[in-house]
Amino acid sequence: MTGTRRKLMMTALSGVGIAVGPVAAGGAAAADGHSVVVEVRDTFATTKAGDATAYTYAPALVPAGARVKVRSVSVRGHRNVTTLWLDGLKPGTPFMAHVHVDRCGVDPLASGGHYQHRVGGPVDAANEVWFSFRTDGRGHARASAEHNWTYEPGRFPGSVVVHEHGPEARRIACASVPFAS
């Protein structure tokens, strides 16, 4: 992967035991256990790195080399907590982010629309995964979203997209994540 560093881990937890192992990028399947943990660490690359899995579309806000970590913990059929960590973004700046339906690409629109638990349902933080945050003085941020539902098998989301905060909400960065529950 040119210009990007990627670590992906999927852990299935059940009442019987724990299975831990690497999963190929883009291929995380639901486990038989009761809980699934998906964690991705990546580095944002410019769109010139066509084979990257995390892109910056606004290097003044999210410079190439900035880092992202996404962790999703699902308790099958009951609950999901998705947490986003960012490092190296423009300090003291408000941002928002959402889980999107498709993987990232060179084109900011490649990630598709927001993932919705109830497709066609309300466009709100209860039906979608929304993060709102401000970077600290060093460009670090952390945000979490918790829901009483899990990602649907057969239509797992594919990415987390960082947006500018405000009415335009331009897509400024994207990290591909093979979510599972």
Side-chain angles (χ1 to χ4, degrees):
M1 289 172 262
T2 306
T4 187
R5 209 173 32 126
R6 184 167 179 85
K7 175 184 176 188
L8 174 64
M9 175 182 74
M10 180 175 158
T11 307
L13 305 173
S14 71
V16 178
I18 298 175
V20 180
V23 177
D32 284 337
H34 299 290
S35 297
V36 175
V37 177
V38 175
E39 184 174 297
V40 173
R41 296 173 191 223
D42 213 337
T43 302
F44 291 107
T46 65
T47 56
K48 293 176 184 168
D51 63 345
T53 53
Y55 293 97
T56 177
Y57 310 115
L61 297 170
V62 180
R67 294 181 305 277
V68 59
K69 175 180 165 184
V70 178
R71 185 168 199 232
S72 174
V73 179
S74 295
V75 178
R76 188 177 312 266
H78 297 286
R79 174 174 176 238
N80 178 277
V81 178
T82 305
T83 306
L84 172 67
W85 291 266
L86 295 155
D87 181 36
L89 279 64
K90 182 178 179 182
T93 305
F95 295 95
M96 54 189 177
H98 304 96
V99 171
H100 280 243
V101 296
D102 294 319
R103 294 176 49 80
C104 307
V106 172
D107 180 346
L109 298 178
S111 57
H114 294 177
Y115 179 88
Q116 292 192 317
H117 174 62
R118 285 189 5 247
V119 177
V123 177
D124 62 21
N127 192 42
E128 299 181 353
V129 182
W130 291 9
F131 307 95
S132 183
F133 55 93
R134 176 181 290 276
T135 53
D136 67 13
R138 297 183 314 181
H140 305 298
R142 178 185 179 277
S144 282
E146 184 172 339
H147 294 89
N148 289 327
W149 47 264
T150 58
Y151 300 120
E152 296 288 326
R155 62 177 199 92
F156 292 122
S159 61
V160 172
V161 175
V162 179
H163 297 265
E164 281 184 308
H165 198 276
E168 288 188 37
R170 177 175 62 120
R171 297 175 190 210
I172 59 173
C174 183
S176 294
V177 179
F179 287 93
S181 66

